[in-house]
């Protein structure tokens, strides 16, 4: 099952859909720890972790990708998930680990990467243009 943007899953309804499907392998993003306090409440992250624990207990292989991995301290935050999977004889790995590659958590080190390797002026202008387009599209949709 491919469920990258279910964010944990924070939604119990989504967790139940996954459990009902009974996948043998699932790829999902995990809780978005990096959004805590700005777009996501602590209680939502806790619910996402709890739901993920339920999923790893019954799913033999869980592959984590983007959301959880954007936080450099994601692994200790997910210790309960790893414990539940291990107790059930199941595995939780990153997408890189699944592919036999080294983990390169670029998003969690973005600030340092930008400091060490500043993007070009053209790139910065391009990202500002994209952000303005998103704002314009959002106001058009809402307005």
């Amino acid at each position: 099952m491919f469920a990258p943007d279910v964010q944990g899953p924070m939604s119990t309804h989504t967790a139940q859909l996954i459990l009902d499907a009974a996948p043998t392998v699932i790829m999902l993003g995990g809780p978005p720890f990096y959004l805590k306090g700005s777009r996501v409440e602590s209680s939502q992250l806790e619910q996402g972790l709890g739901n993920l624990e339920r999923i790893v207990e019954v799913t033999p292989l869980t592959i984590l990708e983007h959301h959880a991995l954007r936080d450099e301290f994601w692994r200790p935050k997910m210790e309960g998930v790893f414990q539940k999977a291990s107790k059930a004889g199941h595995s939780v790995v990153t997408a890189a680990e699944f592919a036999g590659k080294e983990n390169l958590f670029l998003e969690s080190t973005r600030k340092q990467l930008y400091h060490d390797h500043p993007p070009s002026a053209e790139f910065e202008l391009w990202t500002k243009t994209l952000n303005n387009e998103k704002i314009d599209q959002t106001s058009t949709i809402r307005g």
Side-chain angles (χ1 to χ4, degrees):
M1 177 179 279
F2 183 65
D5 275 328
V6 296
Q7 301 181 344
M10 291 188 298
S11 163
T12 300
H13 176 73
T14 301
Q16 193 58 53
L17 289 172
I18 292 168
L19 292 167
D20 290 346
T24 56
V25 177
I26 186 167
M27 179 179 266
L28 48 71
F33 302 116
Y34 66 104
L35 297 176
K36 181 180 178 181
S38 62
R39 294 185 187 167
V40 176
E41 300 294 324
S42 295
S43 61
Q44 292 173 295
L45 293 173
E46 291 302 319
Q47 183 163 316
L49 284 169
N51 287 335
L52 184 54
E53 287 177 5
R54 292 174 49 216
I55 291 167
V56 302
E57 285 181 305
V58 299
T59 306
L61 176 59
T62 300
I63 303 169
L64 296 172
E65 42 96 25
H66 72 294
H67 282 300
L69 309 180
R70 288 180 176 178
D71 184 308
E72 66 179 312
F73 302 108
W74 69 274
R75 194 172 291 270
K77 291 177 180 179
M78 293 186 54
E79 187 58 36
V81 172
F82 286 102
Q83 288 175 358
K84 294 281 186 175
S86 178
K87 187 175 180 181
H90 296 161
S91 298
V92 177
V93 298
T94 66
E97 291 165 348
F98 178 74
K101 305 288 183 182
E102 177 186 354
N103 285 315
L104 297 173
F105 300 115
L106 301 178
E107 187 65 31
S108 69
T109 59
R110 181 197 307 217
K111 288 180 184 177
Q112 186 64 44
L113 288 170
Y114 273 39
H115 178 268
D116 295 346
H117 309 282
S120 68
E122 293 84 11
F123 178 79
E124 288 184 17
L125 179 61
W126 177 74
T127 59
K128 288 179 184 175
T129 302
L130 287 179
N131 286 333
N132 287 337
E133 288 175 8
K134 288 179 186 176
I135 291 168
D136 290 345
Q137 289 173 0
T138 303
S139 62
T140 303
I141 292 168
R142 292 183 184 163

